[in-house]
Structure formats: C-alpha cells, structure tokens
Amino acid sequence: MHPEDLGKIVVRMKKLNEFLIPFIGLKLGKHQFEYQINKAFFESFDYDEFESADIKVSVVFDKKNTMLELNFKHKGTIHVPCDLTNEMFDFPIKGKLKVIVQFGEEYNDDNDELLILPHGEHEINISQIIYEMIALSIPFRKVHPGVKDGTLDSEALRKLNELRVEEIKEENNNTEDNIDPRWDKLKQLLTDK
C-alpha cells in the first residue's frame, strides 16, 4: 500500500468517526441520532455522481438484550444535471431502511437487512449503511421537474422536441404505406357481423 493511500484512509476514518455508535454504554431502549449529510461524506467513499448534497438522516437505535435494531430515514436533495437537458437542479430523494444487528462468531454483512457483529464488539459504524441507503435511493434517471410540467426553456429541450415531432410524422407515414392487405380482409370479417 502506498503512503498516500494510507493517508486517504486515515482522513476518511477521521471524517466518519461521528458515525460510530458505542452501544455498550447505552441503556436498553430507543435512542435517536441525527446526521446532516453533504458532498464531503460521499467524497470519503469516492462517490461523485452529483455536485452537492443536503440530506438529513435520522436513526432510531433500539438496544435490546440480545440484538440491536436500527431504523434509518433520510430526506433531502442532491444537485445534479438533468439527464435530458443537462440543466442543473435540486433532485429530491428520500428513503428508509431497517437493519437488525445480531452477534455471532464473525462479521457478516451479506444480507442488507441483517448485520452480524462478532461477540465482544462494543461499537458500530453506521456510515457504510447510510452511504448505501442513500446511494440506492437515487434513481438511475433524473429529469428536471420543468421538463415534466413544461416550464423549463432550454436549447436542448427545444431540439429534443423538434426531433420527437419529426419521428412521429415519419412513423405515421410508414405505417399507412406498409399495411398488409390480409389485415383488410380480417377487418371486413369483423364488420360484416
């Protein structure tokens, strides 16, 4: 491992320390945690799919005798380019996730909703869970709301509308010329009844 890679890991760990929950000192019952997520959080995971982020995450941490139950909710916006027009806009996102934490022989996070921590662990880092929850709530296609309601005026959108109209005209011309005459005979059977 190169020294600069090690330095990046150390910086990442320092940034994500606020997401460490030392559950050994918590009483049984529910505990509330709030986090404000911005672009720096995602940069620590080398994720740069948007310009900025403003997302509030709330976690209800329920400590029970033999397990932990974590209920995550997030809501906010990411600043992204529209996939159709490339205009920047604030795209709203939200989601929730429930994770059960049990204790076993070794660490296992194969299941999205069940996390196994080794016996003797005394804290849990929830940054990876928050990262995955938010990243998976971002849809593949992001369209500016002005495109949907017709209020956005951009050169790219005008060009797309021009091209779409031409395609429809061409499609109508082709379908009329290429009708198989056998269909006309079948249509006559339906109307003769």
Side-chain angles (χ1 to χ4, degrees):
M1 182 177 286
H2 290 71
E4 66 238 15
D5 292 336
L6 186 59
K8 287 179 185 177
I9 292 171
V10 169
V11 168
R12 178 179 173 209
M13 295 307 287
K14 285 181 182 177
K15 283 183 184 176
L16 300 178
N17 273 345
E18 70 177 289
F19 299 97
L20 266 177
I21 299 176
F23 55 82
I24 200 75
L26 295 177
K27 294 180 180 178
L28 292 179
K30 294 184 179 184
H31 307 273
Q32 180 85 26
F33 297 91
E34 301 285 332
Y35 301 96
Q36 194 64 38
I37 306 297
N38 57 27
K39 185 170 169 103
F41 173 82
F42 291 98
E43 286 173 345
S44 64
F45 288 96
D46 294 325
Y47 186 85
D48 60 355
E49 297 294 315
F50 42 78
E51 292 294 316
S52 63
D54 183 19
I55 304 164
K56 183 178 180 181
V57 175
S58 75
V59 181
V60 176
F61 187 97
D62 192 1
K63 182 177 179 183
K64 300 182 178 187
N65 282 329
T66 59
M67 67 180 200
L68 310 170
E69 189 176 298
L70 291 91
N71 288 293
F72 295 85
K73 284 185 182 179
H74 73 279
K75 185 176 184 177
T77 59
I78 54 173
H79 197 66
V80 292
C82 172
D83 290 332
L84 292 176
T85 65
N86 215 24
E87 296 282 332
M88 297 300 291
F89 73 106
D90 287 332
F91 187 81
I93 60 168
K94 65 180 180 177
K96 58 185 177 178
L97 177 67
K98 180 178 182 177
V99 177
I100 303 293
V101 180
Q102 294 182 337
F103 299 93
E105 294 301 315
E106 59 186 39
Y107 181 88
N108 185 336
D109 65 351
D110 292 343
N111 187 325
D112 293 340
E113 296 172 1
L114 176 66
L115 175 65
I116 309 284
L117 291 179
H119 292 292
E121 280 293 320
H122 63 283
E123 62 186 12
I124 182 172
N125 189 331
I126 59 171
S127 62
Q128 183 71 33
I129 298 169
I130 290 173
Y131 164 72
E132 290 175 7
M133 174 185 67
I134 294 173
L136 292 174
S137 74
I138 300 171
F140 181 71
R141 185 175 170 157
K142 297 164 281 303
V143 178
H144 193 291
V147 172
K148 294 176 184 174
D149 65 17
T151 59
L152 180 66
D153 184 31
S154 76
E155 184 62 34
L157 195 55
R158 283 192 293 272
K159 190 64 177 172
L160 284 171
N161 284 332
E162 287 174 19
L163 293 173
R164 190 178 82 208
V165 170
E166 289 175 16
E167 288 177 16
I168 292 170
K169 287 178 184 174
E170 288 177 18
E171 211 174 273
N172 287 340
N173 291 339
N174 290 339
T175 55
E176 290 174 8
D177 295 341
N178 296 329
I179 294 178
D180 190 335
R182 291 176 288 186
W183 288 111
D184 290 334
K185 292 287 184 189
L186 287 172
K187 285 180 184 176
Q188 281 180 344
L189 289 174
L190 289 172
T191 58
D192 286 347
K193 289 184 178 181

